[in-house]
Amino acid sequence: STQSTWVDVINDVLKRFGSVVSEDHARLQDTLLRELGSPRLPLRKKAIVCLASLCMFTNEALFNTVVRTVLGGIETNQGENLRKYIQCCSAVSRTAGQRLGKFLERIIPLLVKHVGGGHFSEEEGDEVRENIIQAFESFVLRCPGQVAQFFQQIVNVCKEFLKWDPNYTYEDEDEDNMETDEADDDDVGDDEDMEQDEEDDISWKVRKASAKCLAAIIHTRPDLLDYLYQNLCSQSEPTLPDRFKEREESVKLDIFKVFESLLQASKFIQPNTREDDSVTLTSSYRLKVQPKPEVRYLIDVKSKIMKELKKCLKDKSHKIKAGGFAILKELCPLLGSHLEPDVPFLVTAVKDALLDKTSSASALKSEVLTFLKLLLISIPNPSCFRDHIGVICPAVFACISDRYYKIIAEALRVCGELVKVIRSLPAPAAKERTKALFDCVFSRLSTQDIDQDVKESAITTIGRILSFSGTLLSTEDVRKTHALLLQLLNNEMSRLTTIKTLSTLQSDVPVDPAILNSYLTEMCGFLRKSHRPLRQASLSTLRHLVQTQSDKVAPELYTRILEELSQLLNDQDLHLSYLALELSTAIVSVHPSSVKTVENSVLNRVVVLLKSPLLQGHALESVLALFETLSQHSTIGYTGLILKVLEATTGAFSKQVVNSVAQVTATLCINTKEENRDTTIRKYCDQLGSRREEEVILALSCLGEIGRQTDLSKYGNLTNGIRSHFDSPNEEIKSIASVALGRVAAGNPQRYLPQVLQDIQTNQHHRYLTLRCLKEMILVSSGPVPVLVSQFPQILPLLFQYTESQEEGVRNVVAECLGKMALMDPKYVLSELKAHYQRGGDHLNRATIITALKYTVVEQPQNIDAFLRVDIKDFLIASFDKKESVKIRRAAVLLLTAAAHNKPILIRDDLQNYMPSLYSETIIDKSLIREVNLGPFKHKVDDGLELRKAAFECMDILLDNTSAASLLEYLNDYGTFIANVQNGLKDENQDIKMLAHLMLSKLSKIPHAIVPLLTAMDDLSTTLGDTVTKKLKQNPVQQEKERHEELLKSALKATEALTQIKGSLDIQKFNDLYNKTIKGDKELRELLERIQKDAEKSDD
């Protein structure tokens, strides 16, 4: 007894302070190894547990001694002695599994040999099997790389022992018999007869360990998904569905978890994806699910799965039922319409579960309601629910009256999905059902002091009812709903949800003018609040109501709204400015009389906004839309508006300000009378000869923007006046002049194009500027009717002449021209690019062609996408060849990056072919490092640095971009990815190191990357330790100090992110890095504390 107590104490000490007592490790280990021979079983088991804890902290020599002792014991012993060594191996694998990686080739065959348990009694055999399979689970989790070669053996063992139940015979029953009460009674009787025998049966532990090991394999190796489906869930091997008949409840739930893990690994969840073949997961969060190809196995065995699940859903245990519905919840987005034939049974099962009156049914009801919501979303055809609406509604309505708030909230969300089903019913039935649905939801919404989640769900659902079925409700019901929503709008806790709900109201839903104006008044007041989401929602909803209910809005409210929103117009929050400007435009459009208020309150703030160099994107587009609307209704006329706009150019102004003013000027010119436009154009033509550079820049920009939208060819000397600035000593004027000339020429390409092409050929001095002019012509002409396409046979040969130019600027402009032309005529231009690339020639030529392809990969869908999906592989594979020059390979990496960021589908299917080439570019190529003699000293120049940076940036895009993150899921090889991130950690370039640190932080948040990260933690600890302990040279300059601190912060952020991974601090090297190296150094500790505080603030 005393010895057992001391072993317990030592075990606790080792778990907490194992690294501190390193001097005693050898003595402790010798003592514990001796205790393995103790004749007392309890002491021996405690010694095994204590030895396993010690193995987390011992050095390599001591650990190797333990492993040799254990393996020798397994090889040479039998019976009880063999069992203790197997138990010891299993215990060590659970605490220090990653350290056993190098011994797996010897360990696993030994364990597989003894897993049959032939040397033991039945009970001892089950215990040995459990220990062996638990060891397999530890190896899978801790050593996924080293155990890979044994996966087939491990899966086979788990499959075999998932069915291990020697004391029970499973009889297959027909479904019809299963449904009869008589069969149920027989089963109960059989169970009672066997109850005594089952008390001594521990075979369930073997089945439980097998299930957990399979779950670990699915979690760590999603790349084996096809293999796992073939062996666990296919027509030939329906192992998992077959085991749904498991008799032990806890084991059955674990088997359910395995199947859920398999289903979760079978889909890609992509927020805001544009994939047409994806299935909406939830309407609230705009998530989409794209099934993986392996879902075909599910479809093949769907009938088998549903047959077994139907039995589970009739089980008396609420836990089993909840587990069955959890599986169905995962199946919904994957099978979608394939579940239509099963809807009648599922509806009945849902009804029975929701109407269960027992006190323990709360968790079950929550699971069932979530499933029902997903079922309604996943099956796009509402007609398959029509015949069952009479069953569904009463059950869901009963849940709305439940005592548990989570059930009520989920039931309300289900009601929101039922709205469309009810709307599809014949008119009389639809009206009746809508009334019943409305009454139920409205009564819950009217209840005082309800939970916040319930209140928000009720508000959202009542909004869906009004939006989709408002015309089926009585006038009184609509009136009292709006009155209640107005009350909720005054409540600080519910106003944001209410505002968002009001934004869904359709114009055909009647709203009382008094209530509508009260809505507008309240939301107008919210524009003064500091809560940004509230202001955003208020602006969006105000615009929606103004556009859909303008005939009921009191005119004086428009004035108040405009005065309030004018205070939001500044460059501190451009998104709010954009929303405010959109609202202003909507008000002027529906109520032209309010234009005076806009001119007095809004216009001056817009002019201030035009002075901001930050104005761009949606905010600038909204400014242009406002001026376009004002040009039709303004009281100060065209001249007054132009003068207002020009106020933005007073004083110092930047290039972006000139660009904004030019676009607004062009918008006003295009939307005014011919004489006003002519006056403005002639004014700017005269201004081209000004001696003031500011006036010339403004004139060039305005003429370019106007010329982009209308033909200016009647102004004869215009192009000569612009071209004269090609010789300006000011580089900015040269650049703006080339863009302006291109835009003007685009207004009449038939007249100007021949001259532009001739200038490119004959005027070498101005060739770069003229090429930029041609590029602008192509960009402007790439509208719905690309007018330049007919001239491509003339343009292409000319551009190909300069793909080998020694001037990088010329090559880049040529590449962009070629890329934009390919977007306009993909079949012709892409075939020419391919032919020109295959001809070979100078490496600069091929690099330019690859760069041109980069400009064809844009975010919006294009006609060229179908051609690129076929051809991009040939270009990339050829360009990644190590025989190619650095410029070609870098161009290929940039093309891959563009595709990953903008259009992942182009490279998804062949990603595994590109990644080895990409990874190879992350390694320093010493042949590309040369020495430059700088007189008294020599300087090393790395010609491969930019290529390496591009490779790491591409890898970062794979983690950073939401769509591209799914690419890495397709790749399913985080281990190799992390190994190459380590190349960045070891790189001498600081920018690359910091990029690698950033990738580590991102990887730490990806579930499938956790196990590979833990596997690589020793190496990561070494490289991160080298970075944080590196000292600056003596007498560093201030810039070097700042750069070094940035690098330290970057490394510490990565380290802090890794500490959030469960089990990371159990790895000795990483624990030492974090707790000794970093926290033991005052400077590093203070820096880490600052990082942690900043992280807490950002979370708040």
Side-chain angles (χ1 to χ4, degrees):
S1 175
T2 304
Q3 283 181 307
S4 295
T5 304
W6 277 114
V7 172
D8 287 338
V9 171
I10 292 171
N11 188 36
D12 285 342
V13 170
L14 287 173
K15 284 182 177 178
R16 301 184 187 195
F17 312 106
S19 58
V20 178
V21 294
S22 56
E23 294 179 358
D24 299 306
H25 284 176
R27 286 193 301 126
L28 282 171
Q29 182 169 298
D30 290 340
T31 303
L32 292 170
L33 286 174
R34 282 198 305 271
E35 290 301 326
L36 292 183
S38 171
R40 288 184 293 166
L41 180 60
L43 178 60
R44 198 165 63 232
K45 285 188 174 182
K46 289 186 178 183
I48 288 172
V49 173
C50 190
L51 183 62
S53 299
L54 179 63
C55 285
M56 294 169 59
F57 304 100
T58 53
N59 58 40
E60 284 301 312
L62 290 174
F63 182 76
N64 292 344
T65 301
V66 172
V67 175
R68 283 196 299 269
T69 303
V70 170
L71 293 182
I74 295 175
E75 289 172 337
T76 59
N77 286 282
Q78 290 186 352
E80 181 62 25
N81 286 332
L82 173 60
R83 184 159 71 106
K84 75 182 178 186
Y85 284 113
I86 289 176
Q87 288 173 338
C88 188
C89 181
S90 178
V92 172
S93 73
R94 290 194 292 274
T95 58
Q98 68 277 3
R99 302 183 72 181
L100 287 172
K102 58 187 176 183
F103 300 101
L104 290 189
E105 290 189 3
R106 188 177 167 193
I107 295 174
I108 290 182
L110 278 175
L111 296 182
V112 171
K113 175 184 173 183
H114 293 293
V115 76
H119 303 293
F120 310 102
S121 66
E122 183 177 316
E123 185 175 341
E124 290 175 344
D126 285 342
E127 190 174 344
V128 168
R129 292 183 192 102
E130 180 193 10
N131 287 325
I132 289 175
I133 296 171
Q134 284 176 344
F136 288 163
E137 180 190 359
S138 299
F139 298 150
V140 167
L141 290 172
R142 303 295 185 92
C143 318
Q146 298 92 328
V147 83
Q149 59 182 309
F150 302 106
F151 266 129
Q152 187 172 354
Q153 289 175 269
I154 294 174
V155 170
N156 289 336
V157 168
C158 291
K159 278 173 55 182
E160 179 184 351
F161 289 103
L162 192 66
K163 309 171 189 175
W164 180 253
D165 201 352
N167 299 319
Y168 188 83
T169 301
Y170 291 91
E171 294 182 359
D172 292 330
E173 300 172 339
D174 293 334
E175 191 170 349
D176 294 338
N177 293 336
M178 181 269 297
E179 291 174 355
T180 63
D181 295 336
E182 182 180 352
D184 289 341
D185 293 340
D186 290 343
D187 289 343
V188 172
D190 291 341
D191 290 343
E192 289 173 353
D193 293 338
M194 298 176 64
E195 186 175 345
Q196 187 64 39
D197 294 336
E198 289 177 358
E199 290 181 2
D200 301 324
D201 181 15
I202 63 168
S203 64
W204 64 271
K205 293 184 178 181
V206 179
R207 302 195 297 277
K208 191 178 187 72
S210 299
K212 289 188 173 182
C213 187
L214 285 174
I217 292 172
I218 294 168
H219 178 69
T220 57
R221 293 302 299 269
D223 54 310
L224 296 177
L225 191 60
D226 191 271
Y227 171 78
L228 291 168
Y229 262 108
Q230 288 181 32
N231 283 272
L232 299 175
C233 189
S234 63
Q235 283 185 320
S236 58
E237 290 280 351
T239 304
L240 284 178
D242 277 346
R243 290 309 303 162
F244 288 173
K245 62 189 176 186
E246 167 65 48
R247 65 192 175 97
E248 184 69 34
E249 183 177 285
S250 66
V251 180
K252 181 181 279 195
L253 292 175
D254 280 333
I255 292 171
F256 285 173
K257 291 293 182 184
V258 176
F259 195 57
E260 283 182 58
S261 298
L262 190 66
L263 296 178
Q264 288 164 0
S266 306
K267 59 192 176 187
F268 303 108
I269 297 179
Q270 300 178 326
N272 301 318
T273 184
R274 295 180 178 83
E275 298 289 347
D276 295 332
D277 57 347
S278 54
V279 182
T280 305
L281 177 64
T282 72
S283 56
S284 305
Y285 299 104
R286 308 289 180 187
L287 293 177
K288 303 232 178 166
V289 168
Q290 183 185 353
K292 292 183 181 179
E294 289 78 8
V295 170
R296 67 184 184 276
Y297 293 109
L298 274 181
I299 296 171
D300 291 341
V301 295
K302 192 213 80 169
S303 58
K304 173 72 174 174
I305 295 170
M306 294 306 300
K307 178 182 177 181
E308 297 298 330
L309 283 176
K310 286 176 183 178
K311 297 176 185 177
C312 296
L313 296 183
K314 293 189 174 185
D315 198 287
K316 293 181 179 179
S317 167
H318 287 160
K319 290 183 179 179
I320 299 298
K321 286 182 181 179
F325 279 111
I327 289 175
L328 287 168
K329 187 173 67 175
E330 297 295 337
L331 282 172
C332 280
L334 295 174
L335 295 182
S337 56
H338 291 283
L339 290 174
E340 282 190 26
D342 302 292
V343 165
F345 171 79
L346 293 174
V347 167
T348 302
V350 165
K351 180 203 72 172
D352 293 342
L354 294 182
L355 296 179
D356 192 327
K357 301 296 185 182
T358 57
S359 58
S360 59
S362 294
L364 172 62
K365 288 182 180 180
S366 181
E367 198 73 52
V368 171
L369 288 167
T370 305
F371 157 69
L372 180 57
K373 179 183 69 176
L374 288 176
L375 185 67
L376 291 167
I377 293 170
S378 301
I379 298 180
N381 180 17
S383 61
C384 67
F385 295 101
R386 286 178 186 169
D387 297 337
H388 310 289
I389 201 72
V391 176
I392 296 173
C393 285
V396 175
F397 293 168
C399 291
I400 292 178
S401 303
D402 199 275
R403 292 178 300 173
Y404 190 38
Y405 75 93
K406 287 187 177 180
I407 292 176
I408 301 171
E410 199 61 42
L412 288 166
R413 286 189 276 268
V414 172
C415 288
E417 300 302 332
L418 285 173
V419 172
K420 287 187 178 180
V421 178
I422 293 174
R423 193 73 175 87
S424 68
L425 296 172
K431 189 168 185 178
E432 180 185 347
R433 291 290 179 190
T434 300
K435 172 63 176 171
L437 180 67
F438 169 81
D439 288 343
C440 185
V441 176
F442 186 82
S443 65
R444 172 52 66 179
L445 185 60
S446 305
T447 305
Q448 298 296 319
D449 301 324
I450 58 176
D451 178 82
Q452 183 66 18
D453 190 22
V454 173
K455 185 178 292 186
E456 290 179 358
S457 300
I459 294 170
T460 302
T461 302
I462 208 78
R464 287 177 68 86
I465 295 172
L466 284 179
S467 179
F468 290 102
S469 305
T471 54
L472 300 178
L473 295 174
S474 67
T475 305
E476 176 59 23
D477 284 340
V478 173
R479 186 202 62 77
K480 69 181 183 181
T481 302
H482 282 298
L484 181 56
L485 288 175
L486 183 59
Q487 291 179 24
L488 294 166
L489 196 62
N490 290 317
N491 187 315
E492 186 177 353
M493 300 300 294
S494 58
R495 62 176 48 143
L496 184 58
T497 306
T498 307
I499 291 171
K500 292 178 180 178
T501 298
L502 292 174
S503 69
T504 64
L505 297 182
Q506 304 300 316
S507 56
D508 57 350
V509 179
V511 184
D512 182 78
I515 291 180
L516 175 66
N517 289 319
S518 297
Y519 283 152
L520 298 178
T521 302
E522 288 297 326
M523 284 186 279
C524 185
F526 295 156
L527 299 182
R528 297 182 182 180
K529 301 288 184 181
S530 60
H531 190 214
R532 186 171 181 269
L534 181 63
R535 288 187 290 177
Q536 286 179 326
S538 298
L539 287 169
S540 297
T541 303
L542 282 168
R543 178 164 63 93
H544 173 77
L545 293 177
V546 163
Q547 290 174 329
T548 58
Q549 310 283 347
S550 58
D551 56 322
K552 301 172 186 174
V553 180
E556 61 273 12
L557 269 178
Y558 288 127
T559 302
R560 183 178 171 188
I561 293 172
L562 288 168
E563 289 173 350
E564 291 293 344
L565 69 81
S566 67
Q567 304 303 312
L568 302 177
L569 296 175
N570 58 71
D571 61 358
Q572 301 299 311
D573 192 332
L574 285 176
H575 185 64
L576 272 182
S577 297
Y578 153 70
L579 294 173
L581 289 165
E582 288 276 288
L583 176 56
S584 301
T585 305
I587 290 174
V588 175
S589 299
V590 300
H591 190 255
S593 301
S594 61
V595 71
K596 191 69 178 175
T597 307
V598 173
E599 291 169 348
N600 293 335
S601 302
V602 177
L603 202 52
N604 289 330
R605 303 292 295 237
V606 174
V607 171
V608 173
L609 195 60
L610 280 173
K611 292 181 179 181
S612 170
L614 303 176
L615 182 62
Q616 57 185 320
H618 291 309
L620 179 56
E621 290 171 8
S622 62
V623 169
L624 299 177
L626 177 61
F627 275 101
E628 183 178 351
T629 305
L630 287 176
S631 65
Q632 302 167 20
H633 305 289
S634 176
T635 62
I636 60 176
Y638 170 79
T639 304
L641 289 173
I642 283 287
L643 291 174
K644 273 287 184 187
V645 171
L646 291 178
E647 287 179 14
T649 62
T650 56
F653 56 86
S654 66
K655 182 180 178 180
Q656 180 59 41
V657 173
V658 174
N659 181 51
S660 301
V661 169
Q663 289 189 53
V664 174
T665 302
T667 299
L668 291 172
C669 275
I670 298 303
N671 291 280
T672 190
K673 299 176 183 177
E674 179 68 31
E675 56 267 28
N676 290 335
R677 182 162 56 248
D678 184 68
T679 301
T680 301
I681 293 171
R682 292 191 183 281
K683 169 193 167 187
Y684 285 126
C685 286
D686 295 339
Q687 202 167 303
L688 289 176
S690 173
R691 294 184 178 180
R692 294 185 59 200
E693 291 183 347
E694 293 85 354
E695 291 184 357
V696 172
I697 290 172
L698 180 62
L700 287 169
S701 300
C702 290
L703 288 170
E705 285 294 338
I706 297 169
R708 189 164 63 88
Q709 302 179 55
T710 188
D711 183 7
L712 299 183
S713 56
K714 68 178 183 179
Y715 301 94
N717 294 323
L718 174 59
T719 54
N720 290 332
I722 296 175
R723 194 179 282 109
S724 66
H725 291 287
F726 281 12
D727 295 314
S728 171
N730 187 319
E731 291 296 326
E732 184 180 0
I733 290 178
K734 284 184 182 181
S735 175
I736 295 174
S738 66
V739 172
L741 182 59
R743 290 176 175 175
V744 170
N748 191 341
Q750 289 78 14
R751 173 172 176 178
Y752 293 118
L753 181 62
Q755 182 62 48
V756 171
L757 297 180
Q758 184 180 350
D759 285 352
I760 292 172
Q761 286 181 300
T762 59
N763 194 335
Q764 183 177 356
H765 182 60
H766 292 155
R767 182 168 293 149
Y768 171 71
L769 294 172
T770 316
L771 279 167
R772 287 195 62 186
C773 168
L774 176 62
K775 181 195 80 174
E776 202 62 33
M777 285 186 70
I778 294 169
L779 289 174
V780 173
S781 302
S782 60
V785 184
V787 293
L788 277 184
V789 169
S790 60
Q791 306 297 321
F792 281 3
Q794 290 178 278
I795 300 173
L796 271 178
L798 178 64
L799 291 175
F800 283 141
Q801 291 179 27
Y802 302 105
T803 55
E804 300 177 6
S805 172
Q806 295 302 310
E807 295 182 41
E808 186 177 1
V810 169
R811 294 198 309 274
N812 288 337
V813 176
V814 168
E816 190 169 357
C817 289
L818 292 170
K820 297 308 177 184
M821 289 167 67
L823 287 172
M824 296 161 69
D825 188 359
K827 187 175 181 180
Y828 171 62
V829 178
L830 204 55
S831 63
E832 289 293 310
L833 289 173
K834 197 170 183 179
H836 205 69
Y837 183 88
Q838 290 171 346
R839 287 192 202 111
D842 188 270
H843 71 280
L844 295 175
N845 166 61
R846 299 200 300 284
T848 305
I849 300 299
I850 297 296
T851 304
L853 289 175
K854 183 184 74 172
Y855 290 107
T856 66
V857 183
V858 293
E859 194 172 354
Q860 294 77 21
Q862 300 287 337
N863 294 332
I864 198 174
D865 295 345
F867 297 95
L868 280 177
R869 290 190 73 170
V870 176
D871 292 333
I872 197 170
K873 179 180 178 181
D874 296 334
F875 283 107
L876 284 172
I877 295 296
S879 302
F880 273 133
D881 193 321
K882 280 292 186 180
K883 296 177 182 177
E884 296 290 359
S885 71
V886 172
K887 288 186 182 297
I888 293 177
R889 279 149 47 203
R890 181 170 181 268
V893 171
L894 294 176
L895 172 58
L896 185 65
T897 304
H901 186 269
N902 294 325
K903 207 157 282 177
I905 199 168
L906 296 178
I907 58 171
R908 187 179 67 193
D909 296 337
D910 294 300
L911 190 62
Q912 68 274 15
N913 297 323
Y914 307 140
M915 295 307 288
S917 300
L918 178 66
Y919 291 150
S920 69
E921 303 300 353
T922 64
I923 303 169
I924 296 176
D925 186 348
K926 293 182 179 179
S927 65
L928 296 175
I929 300 176
R930 54 191 169 88
E931 280 193 349
V932 179
N933 208 333
L934 298 176
F937 57 90
K938 293 181 179 179
H939 176 63
K940 285 186 177 181
V941 176
D942 187 352
D943 292 327
L945 177 59
E946 294 304 317
L947 173 56
R948 283 204 316 284
K949 277 186 182 179
F952 281 108
E953 285 166 359
C954 183
M955 291 172 64
D956 182 52
I957 285 294
L958 293 174
L959 294 171
D960 193 45
N961 183 278
T962 301
S963 297
S966 296
L967 280 178
L968 219 53
E969 292 291 314
Y970 272 96
L971 188 63
N972 281 328
D973 191 4
Y974 283 102
T976 308
F977 188 90
I978 291 166
N980 285 278
V981 170
Q982 291 185 65
N983 292 334
L985 296 174
K986 299 171 187 174
D987 202 290
E988 296 175 2
N989 183 269
Q990 186 166 323
D991 292 334
I992 291 177
K993 276 182 182 287
M994 292 171 68
L995 199 54
H997 295 153
L998 182 62
M999 284 191 274
L1000 279 183
S1001 299
K1002 293 174 183 176
L1003 283 162
S1004 69
K1005 296 176 177 62
I1006 299 175
H1008 286 155
I1010 299 303
V1011 172
L1013 277 173
L1014 289 171
T1015 304
M1017 198 63 78
D1018 283 347
D1019 293 334
L1020 293 174
S1021 302
T1022 302
T1023 48
L1024 287 169
D1026 292 342
T1027 301
V1028 298
T1029 55
K1030 186 177 180 180
K1031 301 300 180 183
L1032 278 171
K1033 63 182 182 181
Q1034 289 185 344
N1035 302 320
V1037 298
Q1038 183 62 29
Q1039 187 178 8
E1040 289 176 331
K1041 289 181 181 178
E1042 292 173 356
R1043 292 280 289 168
H1044 182 66
E1045 185 173 346
E1046 285 177 12
L1047 181 61
L1048 286 179
K1049 281 184 179 178
S1050 174
L1052 291 175
K1053 284 180 182 177
T1055 307
E1056 180 65 20
L1058 293 175
T1059 61
Q1060 305 306 309
I1061 299 175
K1062 184 179 179 181
S1064 61
L1065 290 173
D1066 293 338
I1067 297 170
Q1068 188 58 42
K1069 272 194 176 180
F1070 186 70
N1071 193 307
D1072 290 345
L1073 168 67
Y1074 189 72
N1075 288 311
K1076 291 183 179 179
T1077 307
I1078 295 176
K1079 290 193 172 181
D1081 182 284
K1082 182 181 177 182
E1083 180 185 350
L1084 292 176
R1085 184 175 65 251
E1086 291 175 352
L1087 198 55
L1088 179 65
E1089 288 170 356
R1090 290 208 302 270
I1091 290 169
Q1092 290 170 337
K1093 287 179 181 177
D1094 291 342
E1096 289 173 3
K1097 288 179 182 178
S1098 63
D1099 290 341
D1100 293 340

